[in-house]
Amino acid sequence: MTQASTTTKTTAKRYDREILALAVPAFGALVAEPLFVMADSAIVGHLGTPQLAGLGIAAALLTTAVSVFVFLAYATTAAVARRVGAGDLPAAIRQGMDGIWLALLLGTAVLVAVLPTAPGLISLFGASDTAAPYAVTYLRISALGIPAMLVVLAATGVIRGLQDTRTPLYVAIGGFALNGALNVALVYGAGLGIAGSAWGTVTAQWAMAGAYLFVVVRGARQHGASLRPDAAGIRACAQAGVPLLVRTLSLRAILMIATAVAARLGDADIAAHQILLSLWSLLAFALDAIAIAGQAIIGRHLGAGDTEGARAVCRRMLLWGVVTGVVLGLLVVLARPVFIPLFTSDPAVENTLLPALLVVALSQPVCGVVFVLDGVLMGAGDGRYLAWAMLLTLAVFAPAALLVPALGGGLTALWWAMTLMMLVRMVTLQLRARSGRWLVAGATR
């Protein structure tokens, strides 16, 4: 074995260790987040069907409102990681504080908008007369936690940018445990019903935000970084986030179109589609964990001026993405006899689900490439390209999906359209990665 090949293998192992060290805790934190809603549903479900229906509607609204601002985590991770790579920790934390201040401003604005409009928003979702009061109660109380949820997003970005994904995992686990304990105590112990569930969740969310702020403020004091709001810095964070907001809204539009088309196909199709979306989201957590590692590592390399290192890490992560996608696809195929009965016993839904499930399995290697390159370009701060690429993907997917019912296709055809969507994303992202135009070195892009 030559010295060059030995060096290459050593470097690859070092990259693997670094990717794993960031991706594994990130995966744990990602999985912990949906457990909040699951815990609330399990506890509120015993109060009655109207309460659970109200929770479902309110939770969907809250999840949508918060997920729109996920750019607070993505943009902050990339910006902070660049300054870490440049060796300027005070500036990195200062950058993170700008993101947190922006999160507080946006969260307060959303809160002010939701409180008076809660009944109208619930009505738009078509809530029944029995479920609507519970939905309004839960939404109004839970809205008080929106600023905290956005702070958690921004602060998570700060911590990830500092190359730390363990702290978000610990905070997520602590928040989940506190949320569960408070829900039981307030819903049943204090007899507050669905309002108790909302107050328990809000309290847990603010506790998580407080834990993050403690970590960030401690770091700021250690490195002499200012904690005061800076108008120029907040404005710069907002401008960096706009392209990622466009990307997120385009992706949301794709998922909404897919659900609307599935609903037109029939009851069995929409039921099977919701099961597939749940599985798809679960698989995405594993791939997104690698993407999060990519954001942090790529940003640090580019901040240090190491474009060759960034390119090498990108290649290594692509291998991780493809291998992980293949493994996930095989697991879906092998686990289908166990997976399908967990969600349905209706033969019509099972027959509709099975062929579409195989399409999901086949698409996982493509998803692996897409998630990794998405994370790499986010880490490089290449948000503008990501926005245009996602708009193009939406333009291709929308007519393809809408043609499914027009041409007599079923759910399997719709999920082939979803695979087409991922293929378009893969092509656009690979073209950008190969061009090298994302390799912009420096503490700022």
Side-chain angles (χ1 to χ4, degrees):
M1 185 179 294
T2 65
Q3 184 176 354
S5 62
T6 302
T7 302
T8 301
K9 286 188 175 181
T10 301
T11 302
K13 288 181 179 179
R14 177 166 57 84
Y15 288 153
D16 289 344
R17 286 194 298 270
E18 190 172 17
I19 293 167
L20 275 174
L22 290 172
V24 172
F27 174 71
L30 288 170
V31 171
E33 290 173 9
L35 293 179
F36 270 87
V37 177
M38 289 179 63
D40 287 0
S41 299
I43 294 168
V44 171
H46 292 285
L47 295 174
T49 300
Q51 289 91 332
L52 184 58
L55 169 66
I57 294 169
L61 280 166
L62 287 165
T63 301
T64 301
V66 173
S67 64
V68 165
F69 298 104
V70 73
F71 70 84
L72 289 166
Y74 294 157
T76 305
T77 297
V80 170
R82 275 185 175 268
R83 295 186 181 275
V84 168
D88 193 349
L89 281 177
I93 296 173
R94 173 67 262 176
Q95 181 87 43
M97 283 305 306
D98 291 336
I100 290 172
W101 280 113
L102 175 62
L104 276 172
L105 290 173
L106 291 173
T108 302
V110 174
L111 169 60
V112 170
V114 167
L115 287 178
T117 60
L121 292 171
I122 297 300
S123 178
L124 284 175
F125 267 65
S128 67
D129 292 339
T130 53
Y134 297 111
V136 171
T137 296
Y138 190 91
L139 181 59
R140 278 184 164 156
I141 297 172
S142 293
L144 299 174
I146 290 176
M149 286 188 274
L150 297 194
V151 167
V152 166
L153 283 177
T156 300
V158 178
I159 304 301
R160 288 174 181 168
L162 294 171
Q163 315 297 297
D164 174 12
T165 55
R166 290 182 179 273
T167 297
L169 173 61
Y170 299 148
V171 174
I173 292 173
F176 172 69
L178 179 61
N179 177 63
L182 287 174
N183 266 258
V184 171
L186 295 176
V187 171
Y188 299 117
L192 296 180
I194 195 169
S197 176
W199 281 117
T201 301
V202 167
T203 303
Q205 287 161 347
W206 277 107
M208 290 173 67
Y212 274 121
L213 289 174
F214 173 80
V215 173
V216 174
V217 169
R218 183 181 61 185
R221 288 176 175 169
Q222 286 176 348
H223 298 284
S226 173
L227 296 172
R228 294 180 180 178
D230 176 66
I234 294 172
R235 187 164 54 250
C237 285
Q239 290 171 347
V242 168
L244 294 179
L245 176 61
V246 172
R247 170 199 167 276
T248 300
L249 290 174
S250 300
L251 181 57
R252 283 281 159 187
I254 287 170
L255 297 177
M256 287 176 64
I257 290 171
T259 300
V261 169
R264 292 176 62 186
L265 297 175
D267 290 346
D269 294 86
I270 186 62
H273 179 71
Q274 290 304 316
I275 294 170
L276 287 173
L277 273 182
S278 299
L279 174 63
W280 201 60
S281 299
L282 178 63
L283 297 173
F285 286 141
L287 299 172
D288 204 23
I290 303 173
I292 287 169
Q295 293 171 31
I297 297 171
I298 293 295
R300 192 190 74 231
H301 276 283
L302 292 177
D306 183 10
T307 56
E308 285 306 311
R311 193 187 292 273
V313 172
C314 176
R315 287 195 297 266
R316 195 66 186 175
M317 285 186 176
L318 276 174
L319 178 60
W320 272 86
V322 172
V323 170
T324 304
V326 170
V327 171
L328 291 176
L330 290 173
L331 285 175
V332 169
V333 173
L334 295 174
R336 70 188 188 281
V338 177
F339 170 78
I340 294 176
L342 285 176
F343 287 88
T344 181
S345 57
D346 186 336
V349 176
E350 288 183 359
N351 292 334
T352 303
L353 179 62
L354 183 57
L357 187 66
L358 296 177
V359 175
V360 171
L362 287 171
S363 70
Q364 288 311 297
V366 175
C367 293
V369 174
V370 169
F371 274 80
V372 167
L373 290 180
D374 217 29
V376 165
L377 296 183
M378 282 183 190
D382 205 9
R384 185 171 297 180
Y385 182 84
L386 289 171
W388 283 112
M390 191 60 80
L391 285 171
L392 173 63
T393 303
L394 174 60
V396 173
F397 172 77
L402 294 174
L403 279 173
V404 168
L407 297 177
L411 187 67
T412 302
L414 175 60
W415 275 89
W416 276 120
M418 290 285 284
T419 302
L420 171 65
M421 177 268 293
M422 295 304 290
L423 284 168
V424 173
R425 290 185 69 189
M426 184 178 73
V427 170
T428 57
L429 295 175
Q430 281 190 322
L431 287 173
R432 186 64 167 183
R434 290 177 180 176
S435 74
R437 294 178 183 175
W438 56 279
L439 290 164
V440 179
T444 58
R445 182 176 172 86

